[in-house]
Amino acid sequence: MKKYACVLFDLDHTLWDYEANAEETLRELFARFRMEERGVTSFRFFHETFRRVNLDLWDRYDRGLIGQDVIRTERFTRVFYDTGVDDVRAALEFSARYLEELPLKKSLLPHAREILDYLHPRYPMTIVTNGFDEIQTTKIQSAGIGHYFRQVVTSQRAGSKKPSRKIFEFALRQSGHTPETAVMIGDNLQTDIAGADAAGIDTIFYNPAQTPHQARVTHEITTLEELRRLL
Ligand SMILES: [Mg+2]
């Protein structure tokens, strides 16, 4: 097994359990905004609508078609519209509360903390993440994992976002490492894996759903625990 000098980690869906944290936040806001009284009788329908809209917006963001401001303004306006609630003002207020409260949630993916405990004394580690700067920092603090990382590189700080090789080059320049000595761990084949690969960095694809693919990956894992064997 190749010996690496540093480890780069994606945050959302790789360490921080975005799905669980988003559902918890939505459930609380669904009750607080009295969505049932507004005619949305099923939280499940509301949640599924959110997942569809959110996935679409993030996909368009990752492909450079829209900016983060569009995610902020459009996400819940569309969710409200698609669930039959005609109240743009409430949708924008819902969006503001969601952005404020989601990053305060603490759930991590299974084995995340144990594997960070294992890796921390062995490697300098960096988070490389697309997302709002202040939000990503708050998530890391809320989950209590900040001390494991030498640096957190957001797209905002780097001035470019994954899959651009520039954000990976920025992260390595900051930590004083070269691409050949680094490995990137992430759940997204496009942003994390293709991006790091283009920058000459080895990759570990975290694929808990075991989704079939044709992408070039250095290693693939289905649980974070497997990192113990690789690193
Ligand atoms: Mg991710």
Side-chain angles (χ1 to χ4, degrees):
M1 194 60 59
K2 182 172 170 183
K3 176 79 183 116
Y4 297 105
C6 73
V7 171
L8 310 177
F9 260 108
D10 171 49
L11 181 63
D12 289 335
H13 300 107
T14 297
L15 293 171
W16 198 76
D17 192 343
Y18 186 96
E19 291 302 326
N21 290 320
E23 182 171 349
E24 189 184 334
T25 309
L26 288 174
R27 214 177 264 286
E28 289 166 3
L29 291 173
F30 186 86
R32 203 183 312 153
F33 279 73
R34 302 180 182 283
M35 297 307 287
E36 286 191 9
E37 287 170 30
R38 293 171 183 271
V40 191
T41 49
S42 148
F43 173 75
R44 198 171 154 181
F45 173 55
F46 186 80
H47 186 216
E48 276 167 10
T49 306
F50 169 83
R51 287 180 61 159
R52 175 173 53 76
V53 168
N54 195 44
L55 202 70
D56 174 56
L57 286 171
W58 275 102
D59 179 61
R60 281 160 59 196
Y61 171 76
D62 285 339
R63 287 188 288 132
L65 300 174
I66 56 169
Q68 292 187 334
D69 53 319
V70 176
I71 298 181
R72 284 182 187 225
T73 52
E74 264 197 26
R75 187 161 44 189
F76 286 101
T77 315
R78 273 176 60 186
V79 171
F80 271 47
Y81 184 83
D82 289 357
T83 54
V85 182
D86 182 19
D87 190 341
V88 173
R89 225 174 123 166
L92 291 174
E93 180 61 21
F94 197 110
S95 175
R97 294 283 79 76
Y98 177 82
L99 287 169
E100 203 174 280
E101 295 175 29
L102 171 68
L104 301 173
K105 302 300 180 196
K106 305 169 184 336
S107 292
L108 295 172
L109 269 307
H111 309 294
R113 201 175 298 279
E114 298 102 276
I115 207 66
L116 290 173
D117 272 332
Y118 169 82
L119 294 173
H120 181 238
R122 293 173 169 81
Y123 300 92
M125 295 193 282
T126 294
I127 297 261
V128 182
T129 176
N130 288 351
F132 308 122
D133 204 15
E134 72 281 14
I135 290 180
Q136 299 309 76
T137 308
T138 307
K139 285 176 184 171
I140 290 163
Q141 283 168 359
S142 304
I145 57 172
H147 63 286
Y148 292 116
F149 298 95
R150 292 268 180 94
Q151 50 169 2
V152 176
V153 173
T154 62
S155 41
Q156 191 175 348
R157 230 186 97 205
S160 59
K161 64 186 190 346
K162 300 182 286 185
S164 168
R165 54 186 293 175
K166 286 188 190 152
I167 187 170
F168 298 101
E169 288 163 359
F170 177 91
L172 292 176
R173 210 162 43 239
Q174 295 286 113
S175 71
H177 293 96
T178 56
E180 308 78 57
T181 66
V183 63
M184 171 73 195
I185 303 158
D187 70 292
N188 189 302
L189 281 177
Q190 181 56 27
T191 53
D192 299 320
I193 303 304
D197 188 63
I201 299 168
D202 276 4
T203 57
I204 300 176
F205 177 40
Y206 173 50
N207 186 11
Q210 296 180 268
T211 309
H213 66 89
Q214 302 290 319
R216 187 167 70 154
V217 303
T218 315
H219 302 285
E220 183 163 336
I221 55 174
T222 54
T223 78
L224 292 174
E225 223 173 11
E226 291 169 68
L227 290 173
R228 228 179 259 270
R229 161 174 70 78
L230 295 173
L231 298 169

